[in-house]
Amino acid sequence: MFERSKIILLVTVAAIFVASRFSSHIDPYYYDIILSIGINIILAVSLNLVNGYTGQFSLGHAGFMSVGAYAAAMFTTYASGPFLGILGPLGPFLSVTIFFGIALFLGGLAAGVTGLLVGIPSLRLKGDYLAIVTLGFGEIIRVIIENVDALGGSRGLSVASGYTNLFWVFATAALTIYVIVNLVNSTYGRGFLTVRDDEIAAEAMGINTTKYKVLAFTLAAFFAGIAGGLYAHDKQFINPEGFNFLKSVDIVTMVILGGMGNTTGVTIAAVLLTILPEWLRHLSERPWLPHWIAPLLANRTIPYSLLLIILMLTRPQGLFGAPGLKRKKA
Amino acid sequence: MACWPSRSTINDQPSTHLIEFLQQLINGLSLGAIYALIALGYTMVYGVLRFINFAHGDVFMVGAFAGLYVAPAVLKLSNGGPSWPGAFLVLVIAMVVCAILGIVIEKLAYRPLRNRPRLTVLITAIGVSLFLENFGQYAFGVDPQSFPDLIGDHAITIPAWCGPLTDLTIMVSQVLVFAVTLFLLISLRFIVTKTKLGMAMRALSVNPVATSLMGINNDVVISFTFGLGSALAGAAGILISIQQPSIDPLMGLQPGIKAFVAAVLGGIGNIPGAALGGILIGVIETLVVGYSDRLHIPSGYRDAVAFFLLILILLFKPTGLLGRVEREKV
């Protein structure tokens, strides 16, 4: 009745549900890191669809994340009264679940529409130009949010409701991986891969390359938006600076470390790169370290940037490589 | 970035409008001259290696800090007071430091990737840029530092017979910036068109295989190009510090991006184009900010102006203003 992948998804989600019942026993510090891991998995796996499978280099993922974060946060702030009133008879648990689900979906939708609007013009460009233009759009989104008073401007926005929990984060992460793995193995997935491997040949075979690029871009933006919604209701405070160019680079680093076009690798890389800065911060507090080395470790961007350079010089295919990855010479 | 002095008193006399416009134009030109110097580095590197050197804006920052550290020693020669020969010496030292930095970056980070896909090099460049910014924060400190007054900057007194033009504020530093930029542009023009290395640069940008067959050492030429471009960025770093004497390790970000936009606007790979683009971007930015009230654009959008322009250029005229003149390519 069910395909194997669907059964795996259902079992995973059920396991996450059971595990989330015990989340109150986890130390709040570790709990926070675990939630960040899940959110980063969603971001990295979705960006991998664009940067890895479709071979387009986007540097503006944090921009879409911020659209989703703000959209979902505005929805739960202003619509909680009427919605929770209508859903009230279903009991507190179900009504909150449905309400937050709608909020996340709307956040994803807002980001997806933004992705579509950004993708249609910019995906005519290739390579480093596309990277710069997506960077530009990401920064424009940030500057716009900074200048809109209703969104809190550069002061940031407080989110009253902390709906995000272990279940939401990891169920969404599992769903993201499920959708993207299945998509890549479908007819559409072949489309993405052909665009990456040889765009000219793909066009010659009658494949509408623009359609596949825009589709990948929009879908990635949608999931980034959901991740943003989860992030907003986890931290309960968002500000535009949190979604700047550096955040986009963080996500790109995860994709590159895991291996572009390798979902398993990217998932592992997202876990590693979320833990790494925390581990380095702990390491920097060791008393036996020379005093000049501690700030080098505590500032996570220095190790991150060195990691990027060394990775590109020694292992550009990432830690786990990419199955069948053949890049066209630019 | 600090605000430019601008005339805020607006009345209905046409001459005041004209004076205000001229004032904005002067401010825009001296800002644009600095963008032009940085843009030349982008365009020259793109010309020989066909990739965007993301770290170029940060080389500019290192130039400013090199000036900050040598300035006290140099000014001691003139008993601590401002001196023109001292300023010149600081400028030259910063240019040399940046040239060495540029050559080292190319040798360590970009040369091993010479035959790899362009995206690999782009990612490395992002890594180098992040490293310079964050290592700069570690080495120079996060807080802005004040740059010593090298030339005793003051407003030029405009003779009374100029009539309403006496209302203009022209700083000595603005004239200096323009004069130095003009001198460097002419020298660059000479190097590129009249020397053997310049000819090798132009040849390399047309066909690197042919140049190596003709007995030209491509590595030397590429190192030279990086050194030249980085020296110009170093000069720009000193010039901007004389105009806006507050420098910090992230000061290279925005000018770097704007200079890149300038290079694309002028037609990337084209030297006169980069100079023209830099001036245009400086003037446009100053005018948009200066007239933001009347254009109903909040001045907070200042940093988005360049990105918006970039996106428009790439979508409608990706070759830039002068991009078609292949012969001029370096």
Side-chain angles (χ1 to χ4, degrees):
Chain A
M1 193 170 102
F2 281 134
E3 300 161 41
R4 203 169 129 255
S5 60
K6 266 186 198 142
I7 295 171
I8 294 176
L9 175 72
L10 286 176
V11 170
T12 315
V13 171
I16 293 165
F17 183 75
V18 173
S20 70
R21 298 291 92 192
F22 299 100
S23 59
S24 57
H25 298 291
I26 306 172
D27 181 82
Y29 172 69
Y30 292 110
Y31 186 65
D32 199 49
I33 296 176
I34 292 172
L35 290 192
S36 301
I37 288 176
I39 292 171
N40 282 337
I41 289 177
I42 304 173
L43 288 168
V45 168
S46 61
L47 184 67
N48 188 30
L49 183 64
V50 178
N51 287 25
Y53 290 115
T54 318
Q56 309 299 307
F57 198 79
S58 165
L59 264 180
H61 217 48
F64 302 121
M65 184 190 174
S66 71
V67 172
Y70 275 90
M74 293 310 266
F75 181 75
T76 53
T77 308
Y78 291 106
S80 65
F83 264 84
L84 288 179
I86 296 167
L87 297 169
L90 295 170
F93 177 75
L94 254 181
S95 58
V96 164
T97 306
I98 295 173
F99 178 63
F100 189 43
I102 296 173
L104 287 182
F105 183 74
L106 284 178
L109 210 61
V113 171
T114 316
L116 186 69
L117 293 176
V118 169
I120 289 175
S122 42
L123 286 165
R124 291 163 46 190
L125 303 163
K126 290 190 181 92
D128 30 14
Y129 278 110
L130 177 67
I132 298 274
V133 164
T134 48
L135 190 169
F137 272 116
E139 289 292 289
I140 286 176
I141 291 172
R142 183 178 63 81
V143 173
I144 288 175
I145 293 174
E146 264 176 14
N147 285 286
V148 175
D149 252 354
L151 297 175
S154 49
R155 296 181 309 279
L157 183 72
S158 290
V159 185
S161 35
Y163 293 130
T164 303
N165 57 28
L166 199 90
F167 173 72
W168 274 109
V169 170
F170 282 90
T172 317
L175 191 71
T176 310
I177 294 175
Y178 169 78
V179 169
I180 286 179
V181 166
N182 273 347
L183 190 72
V184 169
N185 288 328
S186 71
T187 322
Y188 276 104
R190 301 298 138 197
F192 297 143
L193 296 176
T194 28
V195 170
R196 178 191 75 191
D197 287 340
D198 198 330
E199 202 176 328
I200 297 164
E203 244 164 35
M205 300 303 285
I207 287 168
N208 185 349
T209 53
T210 313
K211 187 182 97 180
Y212 285 102
K213 285 193 226 171
V214 172
L215 182 72
F217 204 75
T218 309
L219 210 62
F222 173 80
F223 283 115
I226 291 183
L230 289 168
Y231 176 85
H233 294 88
D234 168 29
K235 303 287 178 209
Q236 302 200 355
F237 174 76
I238 43 179
N239 70 332
E241 266 309 306
F243 304 103
N244 60 8
F245 166 61
L246 288 178
K247 180 72 192 168
S248 298
V249 174
D250 279 358
I251 309 169
V252 170
T253 314
M254 290 169 193
V255 173
I256 293 168
L257 180 72
M260 292 201 254
N262 179 342
T263 302
T264 319
V266 168
T267 310
I268 298 170
V271 178
L272 288 180
L273 282 183
T274 317
I275 298 172
L276 180 76
E278 297 298 328
W279 181 74
L280 285 176
R281 211 159 51 80
H282 277 288
L283 193 69
S284 73
E285 284 158 8
R286 293 280 179 277
W288 43 264
L289 273 178
H291 68 278
W292 55 269
I293 226 168
L296 280 181
L297 294 176
N299 176 342
R300 79 204 161 105
T301 319
I302 294 178
Y304 257 61
S305 52
L306 281 178
L307 179 73
L308 260 187
I309 300 171
I310 294 169
L311 208 60
M312 281 300 111
L313 290 174
T314 56
R315 215 179 145 74
Q317 72 274 37
L319 277 189
F320 307 100
L325 182 83
K326 273 195 214 105
R327 296 196 133 272
K328 197 180 66 160
K329 261 193 191 164
Chain B
M1 291 178 52
C3 278
W4 296 94
S6 66
R7 307 264 134 184
S8 51
T9 47
I10 299 163
N11 52 43
D12 290 313
Q13 289 171 356
S15 65
T16 22
H17 283 295
L18 186 66
I19 292 292
E20 192 201 346
F21 178 75
L22 281 176
Q23 183 70 53
Q24 301 285 2
L25 204 62
I26 291 167
N27 296 342
L29 283 174
S30 64
L31 181 64
I34 288 170
Y35 290 161
L37 282 181
I38 311 173
L40 288 168
Y42 278 112
T43 227
M44 288 196 293
V45 167
Y46 192 89
V48 293
L49 284 182
R50 298 271 178 275
F51 92 98
I52 299 162
N53 182 11
F54 238 86
H56 192 62
D58 302 300
V59 173
F60 157 83
M61 174 274 290
V62 172
F65 273 93
L68 177 73
Y69 285 110
V70 297
V74 170
L75 290 185
K76 233 175 228 161
L77 302 174
S78 61
N79 300 319
S83 76
W84 286 92
F88 178 73
L89 195 60
V90 170
L91 187 77
V92 171
I93 293 174
M95 286 174 78
V96 172
V97 168
C98 286
I100 295 170
L101 179 69
I103 292 170
V104 169
I105 290 174
E106 193 271 330
K107 198 149 203 158
L108 292 182
Y110 304 148
R111 185 166 300 176
L113 302 173
R114 199 59 64 72
N115 295 318
R116 298 269 189 80
R118 255 160 50 182
L119 273 183
T120 313
V121 193
L122 179 76
I123 296 164
T124 315
I126 293 173
V128 173
S129 161
L130 289 178
F131 178 76
L132 285 178
E133 278 160 22
N134 289 281
F135 193 78
Q137 287 189 330
Y138 165 73
F140 308 136
V142 180
D143 298 321
Q145 302 185 42
S146 69
F147 196 83
D149 189 1
L150 295 175
I151 54 166
D153 198 10
H154 58 86
I156 293 172
T157 7
I158 297 163
W161 51 263
C162 294
L165 288 182
T166 45
D167 285 344
L168 286 175
T169 314
I170 304 175
M171 305 297 285
V172 176
S173 59
Q174 289 180 317
V175 179
L176 174 78
V177 164
F178 220 76
V180 172
T181 305
L182 206 62
F183 170 74
L184 289 175
L185 280 179
I186 294 170
S187 323
L188 182 70
R189 176 95 192 155
F190 175 79
I191 292 173
V192 169
T193 53
K194 297 281 190 280
T195 64
K196 275 203 164 172
L197 261 176
M199 198 191 284
M201 274 165 71
R202 283 183 292 153
L204 183 64
S205 78
V206 177
N207 190 340
V209 180
T211 49
S212 61
L213 289 176
M214 291 296 133
I216 292 170
N217 189 340
N218 281 0
D219 284 344
V220 171
V221 179
I222 288 169
S223 285
F224 178 72
T225 311
F226 265 85
L228 205 58
S230 304
L232 293 177
I238 297 296
L239 292 177
I240 204 155
S241 312
I242 289 175
Q243 281 202 336
Q244 307 171 4
S246 169
I247 64 176
D248 67 278
L250 298 182
M251 66 184 280
L253 263 176
Q254 290 296 338
I257 287 165
K258 283 165 192 162
F260 170 73
V261 177
V264 176
L265 175 64
I268 196 147
N270 180 302
I271 286 183
L276 178 69
I279 303 275
L280 278 177
I281 294 286
V283 170
I284 291 170
E285 186 191 323
T286 314
L287 288 182
V288 168
V289 175
Y291 289 97
S292 57
D293 297 342
R294 268 174 274 170
L295 293 169
H296 303 289
I297 306 168
S299 57
Y301 285 102
R302 175 179 191 144
D303 289 339
V305 171
F307 279 119
F308 190 67
L309 270 175
L310 173 73
I311 289 163
L312 287 184
I313 303 159
L314 285 181
L315 293 182
F316 294 109
K317 197 164 178 1
T319 50
L321 291 176
L322 307 180
R324 248 179 272 157
V325 193
E326 285 289 310
R327 208 158 40 88
E328 288 287 323
K329 271 193 170 180
V330 165

